[in-house]
Amino acid sequence: MNQTLKFSFRNLFLSCVCLLLFACGGNPEIISPDGRTRLSFVTGADGCMAYTVERDGKPLILPSALGLVVQERNLAGGFSVREIVKRSVDETWTQPWGENKILRDCHNEMTAVLKNDDGVLLTLRFRAFDDGVAFRYEWEVPDLDSLTVTDELTEFRFAEDGVSWSIPGNFNTYELLYRELPVSAVENANTPFTFRVDGTYGSIHEAALYDFPEMNLYRTDSLAFKAELAPLPDGIKARIPSKFMTAWRTIQVGDKAVDLINSSLILNLNEPSKIADTSWIKPQKYIGVWWGLHLGTHTWTMGPRHGATTENALRHIDFAAANNIQGVLFEGWNEGWENWGKTQHFDYVKPYADFDLDRIATYAREKNIELWMHNETGGNIPEYEAALETAMQRYAGLGVHAVKTGYAGGFRDGQLHHSQYGVRHYQRVVETAARYGIVIDAHEPIKDTGIRRTWPNMMTREGARGMEWNAWSEGNSAEYLCTLPFVRLLSGPMDYTPGVFDLDYSRVRGRETGMQEWNGDNNSCCIKTTLARQIANWVIIYSPLQMASDLIENYEGHPAFQFFRDFDADCDWSEALQGEPGEYIVVVRRADDSFFLGAGTNDESRTLTQKLGFLKSGMTYTATIYADAPDSAENPENYRIEKRTVTSADMLEIAMTARGGQAVTFVPVNE
């Protein structure tokens, strides 16, 4: 069926469904536990399927199509409902790490069991939470071993226009700028796709993505979007078993923008951990030879400016041990970087001659510091998969428990990063690492869909424009940093690599040969925040593996670095307190009895008032405030540190200059 006929058929079907929905009062439906969100399911006269979503009695998602298209059978229509089963769940569960270690899963579920004339069995599983709705397809096709997916028909048809925040749809990268656009002006988008419609904030995404391509959104009508799957090189979207479950399609909702950040819907839709003993999976702070590589003060390859040398490694290990930092990372430690841009061949176990891996690993263990290994693949997946088992075995033997992976550059043979091929590869790395007691920090990753609940060694990933964009492009704006928590971070932790204190790096840039060429796109040599905002980013941009990314000499003797020394990446509880996408954000996290607050604003100066009711009642705290100085707008590296005694009954005034921020530690007085 060609695309024109397919969309004409769909529009005709949806018109019929609209009439059916108004004519029939007994449609299968579920309502969220708080009674505010209703999801209804209907089949048309031709057996095609659709759903709707209402919020507070008003339409949010109009009748929207459901189904898949495969070559072998009809999975799009001819269905009749055989059974409707409903149940309610209300339970709490714990995770070894996360924004919140204790989570509540409270939802109502409706399972619609359907069958069509081809004998295809379909279970449509719908769930309604107070913070959104979700559904997935569970297929069983008789007399076949496999299916060839060519399209997904899932739609999201908005009842009215609104404003949205997203990046363009792209099957190879997420490192794109956010756009604030009317919903009706978006041609395509990756997810999370965040929106505000008629006073309701929401976000479309997916959960539990395994062995299936990622979903993008492509506009088919003024307010209608269709799921578009990342294709394989031959145009096929996926090859799946005849008994198969898709990822969940999710719509989070809230009254305030921060409600989306505080939602646990994505995690609740994932299965419990498959790793029985998670005691070895621990959050940590880390440093490393990284920022200098992007500035050009260091190189990945051997030579006069090689960053990953034995001398540099020992120096970083000593710094970490002296500053309450648990890990060190070295990029460019292994042979193969000299091939960058050519064959993309890396050796994942053989170090350069000036990096004594065994000595460094031994020294790190003696200092009780975690040594991280870096695996850049350059997109050469077959080579990496062939070496994966040997590399992980070698690292485990060295006492290494963390690996940062990288996939800069395109995959071979026309494969896309976010296709079924890519999803399968990323998952293979996670599961292989788990067998060797290794956690993963993935750069150029597949997007997070909450699999960290099931595979908690998948701890953090990039998946957006990180700090390095400030070194070799126009940089990340303060507006971008205020949008990030409301879009990308809804999917899960991000290794943004924050914390650069040397905001005007032209002082460094001119000292090394080659830097003008490397950093030619950022002539200002200036990061577009204040130093106080850089500190606040350690709290705002959640990652259980949190980096202080600047050159360590810029931290030596710096009073403001005390915040990172005190900061605990292993938080127990978190809450986004206030904020609006692209404008400002305030987040607080608790680790044991201490609290850490981070706030940031866009290009506008802003003063916020924040109640401290999140502190424990009856306790007194010493608040250490790292704030913008009066002249930080002109001199962004200027800051002030203030101490005061507070309780949960107090208010905090958060004064931020343009592009500024504020960070606060709250420590019980008796400590």
Side-chain angles (χ1 to χ4, degrees), residues 130-143:
D130 290 348
D131 50 349
V133 298
F135 57 88
R136 76 176 178 199
Y137 306 93
E138 302 173 12
W139 301 98
E140 187 171 349
V141 182
D143 305 322

PDB file of all heavy atoms in Angstrom, residues 130-143:
ATOM      1  N   ASP A 130      -1.067   8.456  37.669  1.00  0.00           N
ATOM      2  CA  ASP A 130      -1.378   9.859  37.938  1.00  0.00           C
ATOM      3  C   ASP A 130      -0.517  10.785  37.084  1.00  0.00           C
ATOM      4  O   ASP A 130      -0.909  11.918  36.801  1.00  0.00           O
ATOM      5  CB  ASP A 130      -1.165  10.187  39.419  1.00  0.00           C
ATOM      6  CG  ASP A 130      -2.206   9.534  40.311  1.00  0.00           C
ATOM      7  OD1 ASP A 130      -3.215   9.021  39.779  1.00  0.00           O
ATOM      8  OD2 ASP A 130      -2.003   9.529  41.548  1.00  0.00           O
ATOM      9  N   ASP A 131       0.673  10.306  36.687  1.00  0.00           N
ATOM     10  CA  ASP A 131       1.592  11.146  35.919  1.00  0.00           C
ATOM     11  C   ASP A 131       1.648  10.757  34.443  1.00  0.00           C
ATOM     12  O   ASP A 131       2.594  11.132  33.745  1.00  0.00           O
ATOM     13  CB  ASP A 131       3.004  11.116  36.527  1.00  0.00           C
ATOM     14  CG  ASP A 131       3.516   9.705  36.793  1.00  0.00           C
ATOM     15  OD1 ASP A 131       2.726   8.763  36.706  1.00  0.00           O
ATOM     16  OD2 ASP A 131       4.709   9.563  37.097  1.00  0.00           O
ATOM     17  N   GLY A 132       0.627  10.040  33.941  1.00  0.00           N
ATOM     18  CA  GLY A 132       0.598   9.783  32.515  1.00  0.00           C
ATOM     19  C   GLY A 132       0.007   8.445  32.145  1.00  0.00           C
ATOM     20  O   GLY A 132      -0.494   7.690  32.995  1.00  0.00           O
ATOM     21  N   VAL A 133       0.076   8.132  30.852  1.00  0.00           N
ATOM     22  CA  VAL A 133      -0.454   6.874  30.335  1.00  0.00           C
ATOM     23  C   VAL A 133       0.595   6.224  29.438  1.00  0.00           C
ATOM     24  O   VAL A 133       1.521   6.873  28.954  1.00  0.00           O
ATOM     25  CB  VAL A 133      -1.758   7.090  29.531  1.00  0.00           C
ATOM     26  CG1 VAL A 133      -2.852   7.668  30.419  1.00  0.00           C
ATOM     27  CG2 VAL A 133      -1.510   7.989  28.322  1.00  0.00           C
ATOM     28  N   ALA A 134       0.412   4.915  29.221  1.00  0.00           N
ATOM     29  CA  ALA A 134       1.336   4.176  28.369  1.00  0.00           C
ATOM     30  C   ALA A 134       0.615   2.976  27.770  1.00  0.00           C
ATOM     31  O   ALA A 134      -0.375   2.495  28.316  1.00  0.00           O
ATOM     32  CB  ALA A 134       2.549   3.714  29.180  1.00  0.00           C
ATOM     33  N   PHE A 135       1.131   2.518  26.647  1.00  0.00           N
ATOM     34  CA  PHE A 135       0.593   1.295  26.044  1.00  0.00           C
ATOM     35  C   PHE A 135       1.692   0.619  25.240  1.00  0.00           C
ATOM     36  O   PHE A 135       2.659   1.238  24.800  1.00  0.00           O
ATOM     37  CB  PHE A 135      -0.618   1.593  25.148  1.00  0.00           C
ATOM     38  CG  PHE A 135      -0.359   2.585  24.043  1.00  0.00           C
ATOM     39  CD1 PHE A 135       0.126   2.170  22.806  1.00  0.00           C
ATOM     40  CD2 PHE A 135      -0.599   3.937  24.242  1.00  0.00           C
ATOM     41  CE1 PHE A 135       0.362   3.087  21.795  1.00  0.00           C
ATOM     42  CE2 PHE A 135      -0.360   4.862  23.228  1.00  0.00           C
ATOM     43  CZ  PHE A 135       0.122   4.435  22.002  1.00  0.00           C
ATOM     44  N   ARG A 136       1.539  -0.685  25.069  1.00  0.00           N
ATOM     45  CA  ARG A 136       2.461  -1.434  24.222  1.00  0.00           C
ATOM     46  C   ARG A 136       1.707  -2.546  23.515  1.00  0.00           C
ATOM     47  O   ARG A 136       0.616  -2.962  23.925  1.00  0.00           O
ATOM     48  CB  ARG A 136       3.629  -2.002  25.028  1.00  0.00           C
ATOM     49  CG  ARG A 136       3.295  -3.213  25.870  1.00  0.00           C
ATOM     50  CD  ARG A 136       4.535  -3.768  26.556  1.00  0.00           C
ATOM     51  NE  ARG A 136       4.173  -4.908  27.409  1.00  0.00           N
ATOM     52  CZ  ARG A 136       4.932  -5.361  28.398  1.00  0.00           C
ATOM     53  NH1 ARG A 136       6.092  -4.781  28.673  1.00  0.00           N
ATOM     54  NH2 ARG A 136       4.536  -6.397  29.118  1.00  0.00           N
ATOM     55  N   TYR A 137       2.337  -3.048  22.448  1.00  0.00           N
ATOM     56  CA  TYR A 137       1.796  -4.143  21.652  1.00  0.00           C
ATOM     57  C   TYR A 137       2.495  -5.446  22.039  1.00  0.00           C
ATOM     58  O   TYR A 137       3.726  -5.501  22.125  1.00  0.00           O
ATOM     59  CB  TYR A 137       2.031  -3.902  20.164  1.00  0.00           C
ATOM     60  CG  TYR A 137       1.520  -2.584  19.630  1.00  0.00           C
ATOM     61  CD1 TYR A 137       2.350  -1.465  19.573  1.00  0.00           C
ATOM     62  CD2 TYR A 137       0.217  -2.465  19.153  1.00  0.00           C
ATOM     63  CE1 TYR A 137       1.905  -0.258  19.052  1.00  0.00           C
ATOM     64  CE2 TYR A 137      -0.243  -1.267  18.632  1.00  0.00           C
ATOM     65  CZ  TYR A 137       0.602  -0.161  18.587  1.00  0.00           C
ATOM     66  OH  TYR A 137       0.147   1.029  18.076  1.00  0.00           O
ATOM     67  N   GLU A 138       1.700  -6.497  22.234  1.00  0.00           N
ATOM     68  CA  GLU A 138       2.236  -7.830  22.494  1.00  0.00           C
ATOM     69  C   GLU A 138       1.630  -8.764  21.448  1.00  0.00           C
ATOM     70  O   GLU A 138       0.452  -9.102  21.505  1.00  0.00           O
ATOM     71  CB  GLU A 138       1.887  -8.271  23.918  1.00  0.00           C
ATOM     72  CG  GLU A 138       2.424  -7.310  24.988  1.00  0.00           C
ATOM     73  CD  GLU A 138       1.939  -7.634  26.386  1.00  0.00           C
ATOM     74  OE1 GLU A 138       1.371  -8.734  26.579  1.00  0.00           O
ATOM     75  OE2 GLU A 138       2.106  -6.784  27.290  1.00  0.00           O
ATOM     76  N   TRP A 139       2.460  -9.159  20.469  1.00  0.00           N
ATOM     77  CA  TRP A 139       1.989  -9.889  19.305  1.00  0.00           C
ATOM     78  C   TRP A 139       2.277 -11.384  19.422  1.00  0.00           C
ATOM     79  O   TRP A 139       3.289 -11.792  19.986  1.00  0.00           O
ATOM     80  CB  TRP A 139       2.684  -9.380  18.040  1.00  0.00           C
ATOM     81  CG  TRP A 139       2.487  -7.929  17.756  1.00  0.00           C
ATOM     82  CD1 TRP A 139       3.351  -6.906  18.045  1.00  0.00           C
ATOM     83  CD2 TRP A 139       1.357  -7.329  17.137  1.00  0.00           C
ATOM     84  NE1 TRP A 139       2.834  -5.709  17.636  1.00  0.00           N
ATOM     85  CE2 TRP A 139       1.599  -5.934  17.072  1.00  0.00           C
ATOM     86  CE3 TRP A 139       0.156  -7.832  16.631  1.00  0.00           C
ATOM     87  CZ2 TRP A 139       0.704  -5.049  16.518  1.00  0.00           C
ATOM     88  CZ3 TRP A 139      -0.744  -6.937  16.069  1.00  0.00           C
ATOM     89  CH2 TRP A 139      -0.471  -5.565  16.021  1.00  0.00           C
ATOM     90  N   GLU A 140       1.390 -12.169  18.828  1.00  0.00           N
ATOM     91  CA  GLU A 140       1.639 -13.595  18.654  1.00  0.00           C
ATOM     92  C   GLU A 140       1.015 -14.004  17.322  1.00  0.00           C
ATOM     93  O   GLU A 140      -0.212 -13.996  17.169  1.00  0.00           O
ATOM     94  CB  GLU A 140       1.050 -14.403  19.806  1.00  0.00           C
ATOM     95  CG  GLU A 140       1.431 -15.873  19.748  1.00  0.00           C
ATOM     96  CD  GLU A 140       1.035 -16.629  21.003  1.00  0.00           C
ATOM     97  OE1 GLU A 140       0.655 -15.973  21.997  1.00  0.00           O
ATOM     98  OE2 GLU A 140       1.102 -17.874  20.979  1.00  0.00           O
ATOM     99  N   VAL A 141       1.879 -14.326  16.360  1.00  0.00           N
ATOM    100  CA  VAL A 141       1.426 -14.661  15.007  1.00  0.00           C
ATOM    101  C   VAL A 141       1.688 -16.142  14.763  1.00  0.00           C
ATOM    102  O   VAL A 141       2.841 -16.584  14.779  1.00  0.00           O
ATOM    103  CB  VAL A 141       2.153 -13.811  13.952  1.00  0.00           C
ATOM    104  CG1 VAL A 141       1.620 -14.138  12.556  1.00  0.00           C
ATOM    105  CG2 VAL A 141       1.978 -12.327  14.254  1.00  0.00           C
ATOM    106  N   PRO A 142       0.644 -16.930  14.551  1.00  0.00           N
ATOM    107  CA  PRO A 142       0.833 -18.388  14.413  1.00  0.00           C
ATOM    108  C   PRO A 142       1.490 -18.767  13.091  1.00  0.00           C
ATOM    109  O   PRO A 142       1.421 -18.025  12.105  1.00  0.00           O
ATOM    110  CB  PRO A 142      -0.596 -18.924  14.498  1.00  0.00           C
ATOM    111  CG  PRO A 142      -1.448 -17.789  13.999  1.00  0.00           C
ATOM    112  CD  PRO A 142      -0.764 -16.531  14.455  1.00  0.00           C
ATOM    113  N   ASP A 143       2.131 -19.931  13.088  1.00  0.00           N
ATOM    114  CA  ASP A 143       2.664 -20.564  11.878  1.00  0.00           C
ATOM    115  C   ASP A 143       3.801 -19.774  11.225  1.00  0.00           C
ATOM    116  O   ASP A 143       4.098 -19.981  10.046  1.00  0.00           O
ATOM    117  CB  ASP A 143       1.553 -20.785  10.833  1.00  0.00           C
ATOM    118  CG  ASP A 143       0.393 -21.585  11.401  1.00  0.00           C
ATOM    119  OD1 ASP A 143       0.648 -22.522  12.181  1.00  0.00           O
ATOM    120  OD2 ASP A 143      -0.757 -21.242  11.087  1.00  0.00           O
TER     121      ASP A 143
END
